[in-house]
Amino acid sequence: MRKGKKDEVKARLSVYGCKLPSKVMAVNYLKTLNMMDVFGVTMLPFYDFFHKESNPSAGMFKLEGTDIWLYKCHSESADSTPMDIIRLTSKLLNVSYTQALNYLIDVCGIEIEVTEQIKELREQCDLFINLLVSDDLQATFPAIHERFWRYKAQIVTLLTIFKENIYEDENGALRSLTWMSVRTLAKKVYGKESSYNTLSQLLNLLTLTNWIDKLDDSQIPTALLEKIKATQDARKREKRSNVFELLTLGDDFFIQLNKQCEEMKEAGFTMKGLSREYVLRTHGKEMADKLYPQDKDRKISKKSDAITRDIHKVALAEIEMYGYVAVNDILDEVAKKWKSKGFTETKFKQAVSELLDMYGLKKTRLTKDLKERFEITHLPKNASPTILVKAV
């Protein structure tokens, strides 16, 4: 490389040639190449490429938990910052990162091939990103805005990741898949792995609302599944990484999504209440198993069922007597019996959609008209608690 003998480098590295749909994917592919094979390193440690040393202190290694190879020199007199293959090439040739990337694409014989199918997938992502961040979202799709505005930046990042991860399955179909661990995705989306629980909830919400699909074994391309399970076995992990697929979204997706968001709001949906039990009660076992595949055999506990029955019992009794019931009154009465306010609140959030659907109820704020309708005089004039009433 340093001597400018590009033809010799090509002859050696052409074995890494392949077709990829973007330079982003070329970067990800190059970083997984075994650096020891690429640079002809046969022993570890070896003498650093960039400074003279009496004892070899340089090494090449896989970054833990990934397929990425890095170069590092452990000598005190050297720059000890690890470098991936592109940065290493950049330093070897004394060129920019982009120039180094182009050089490696050339000498490895990587072809960047953008098919019409890939263009369509990317255009779809760009269109939905544009809609999501548009100034008129709140006016044109108010329910979507209310449900998703908090997560716009995160969804944009996720869609960008999806559109650059194209996988060709055994049937030749191009699919937008990602199988990064949720921790890795959390680092890309939130800047820290510790936000993986927050991201996991968002991914479940996007699956529930049909942006993406969480795939079971039968839906994952065979070669990819084998690779994922081999990595799982090598790392002695009980569960494999989830595989998510960006769905091909129709032209009316945002119209349907807005309608679904309206229905979710009417049914009392909250992110805090999003759980296997909520999905099981409101969408059935098939969807619950999809969102929470690790808990397929887990049943609703007897305690959860008992608290949910008490929530139903208190709500229906109050509505039968007064025509309405305040949500806080339900929580107070049930929490008093079970001596756990927090657990009762969680169970209510998980069960409220089922409660409304089963008994034809709706959740609403207590307005002046409703106060007059139910002859409520004991509350302060400006009080407007959340209540449940019969949906007429």
Side-chain angles (χ1 to χ4, degrees):
M1 282 185 180
R2 279 175 166 168
K3 292 179 180 178
K5 297 181 178 180
K6 197 170 186 180
D7 289 340
E8 292 182 23
V9 177
K10 277 186 177 182
R12 176 178 171 77
L13 300 187
S14 61
V15 293
Y16 300 112
C18 61
K19 291 182 180 180
L20 294 171
S22 72
K23 283 193 175 182
V24 171
M25 291 195 71
V27 169
N28 295 337
Y29 167 69
L30 287 165
K31 286 162 71 172
T32 65
L33 298 183
N34 186 319
M35 289 177 78
M36 293 182 65
D37 291 341
V38 172
F39 290 96
V41 173
T42 57
M43 294 180 62
L44 293 175
F46 56 91
Y47 290 104
D48 179 50
F49 291 166
F50 304 103
H51 82 287
K52 291 183 179 180
E53 51 186 2
S54 54
N55 295 308
S57 64
M60 291 174 172
F61 60 94
K62 253 189 184 183
L63 182 63
E64 185 178 355
T66 75
D67 292 324
I68 297 171
W69 279 80
L70 298 175
Y71 172 98
K72 181 174 181 177
C73 183
H74 297 273
S75 170
E76 290 183 5
S77 60
D79 179 2
S80 60
T81 305
M83 291 180 279
D84 63 39
I85 190 172
I86 305 168
R87 295 199 180 280
L88 179 58
T89 302
S90 170
K91 191 170 181 180
L92 282 169
L93 299 180
N94 193 28
V95 297
S96 70
Y97 183 90
T98 302
Q99 289 172 315
L101 171 61
N102 291 335
Y103 176 87
L104 287 171
I105 287 173
D106 183 21
V107 296
C108 290
I110 297 171
E111 294 180 42
I112 307 299
E113 186 179 67
V114 184
T115 66
E116 286 303 314
Q117 191 177 351
I118 292 170
K119 284 181 182 177
E120 287 177 14
L121 278 168
R122 290 180 179 160
E123 284 174 2
Q124 172 183 282
C125 281
D126 291 340
L127 284 170
F128 286 118
I129 287 172
N130 185 59
L131 275 169
L132 198 60
V133 301
S134 65
D135 292 335
D136 63 341
L137 179 69
Q138 186 172 6
T140 54
F141 297 106
I144 294 175
H145 178 269
E146 185 174 355
R147 173 54 50 209
F148 288 102
W149 70 268
R150 298 174 185 83
Y151 317 111
K152 283 198 292 187
Q154 291 78 25
I155 294 172
V156 168
T157 302
L158 284 170
L159 288 176
T160 303
I161 290 170
F162 271 109
K163 81 172 185 177
E164 291 299 342
N165 282 272
I166 308 297
Y167 189 92
E168 185 175 352
D169 66 19
E170 54 264 41
N171 299 314
L174 296 172
R175 299 167 63 182
S176 182
L177 305 176
T178 183
W179 52 96
M180 298 177 201
S181 70
V182 175
R183 289 180 183 274
T184 301
L185 276 173
K187 191 170 183 179
K188 290 178 177 291
V189 173
Y190 289 98
K192 52 187 179 180
E193 288 186 11
S194 57
S195 296
Y196 72 94
N197 282 328
T198 303
L199 182 64
S200 183
Q201 279 289 79
L202 177 56
L203 289 166
N204 283 336
L205 175 63
L206 293 175
T207 304
L208 188 66
T209 50
N210 303 308
W211 295 75
I212 61 176
D213 198 8
K214 186 185 286 188
L215 308 184
D216 62 30
D217 286 2
S218 66
Q219 298 171 298
I220 301 171
T222 305
L224 176 57
L225 182 61
E226 289 174 356
K227 176 184 175 182
I228 292 170
K229 288 199 169 181
T231 302
Q232 175 191 348
D233 292 341
R235 294 173 184 165
K236 297 179 180 178
R237 290 180 176 170
E238 185 180 344
K239 301 168 184 173
R240 67 163 172 81
S241 295
N242 285 315
V243 179
F244 295 95
E245 179 168 15
L246 178 67
L247 296 173
T248 302
L249 307 174
D251 293 338
D252 64 346
F253 172 69
F254 264 55
I255 295 171
Q256 296 302 320
L257 178 62
N258 196 68
K259 183 179 178 182
Q260 186 178 1
C261 290
E262 288 172 349
E263 292 169 351
M264 291 168 71
K265 181 181 179 181
E266 290 172 4
F269 174 86
T270 64
M271 281 294 278
K272 288 184 179 179
L274 180 55
S275 62
R276 174 175 169 78
E277 184 170 337
Y278 165 82
V279 179
L280 192 60
R281 290 184 181 281
T282 56
H283 296 273
K285 190 174 186 303
E286 184 177 349
M287 180 60 80
D289 288 348
K290 179 180 285 292
L291 265 62
Y292 303 93
Q294 68 275 20
D295 296 327
K296 281 186 176 181
D297 298 324
R298 184 178 169 190
K299 297 179 180 178
I300 297 174
S301 70
K302 291 181 178 179
K303 183 178 180 181
S304 287
D305 256 342
I307 291 181
T308 300
R309 284 197 299 272
D310 283 343
I311 289 170
H312 286 206
K313 184 178 177 180
V314 170
L316 295 175
E318 291 282 313
I319 291 172
E320 182 68 27
M321 186 174 295
Y322 302 110
Y324 76 99
V325 60
V327 168
N328 283 340
D329 289 346
I330 300 173
L331 298 177
D332 289 345
E333 188 167 340
V334 177
K336 192 183 300 181
K337 175 180 177 179
W338 289 93
K339 297 180 174 59
S340 177
K341 184 178 180 181
F343 190 58
T344 300
E345 288 178 353
T346 298
K347 291 296 112 183
F348 180 82
K349 288 170 183 173
Q350 292 172 351
V352 64
S353 294
E354 180 188 47
L355 173 65
L356 301 183
D357 185 56
M358 283 178 67
Y359 304 107
L361 307 178
K362 70 175 181 178
K363 184 180 171 188
T364 185
R365 284 286 182 182
L366 184 60
T367 62
K368 181 180 178 181
D369 289 343
L370 288 173
K371 283 182 182 179
E372 292 176 358
R373 174 181 162 190
F374 297 120
E375 299 179 352
I376 299 171
T377 58
H378 65 284
L379 293 176
K381 187 175 181 180
N382 295 325
S384 57
T386 300
I387 63 171
L388 305 184
V389 295
K390 285 282 186 183
V392 179

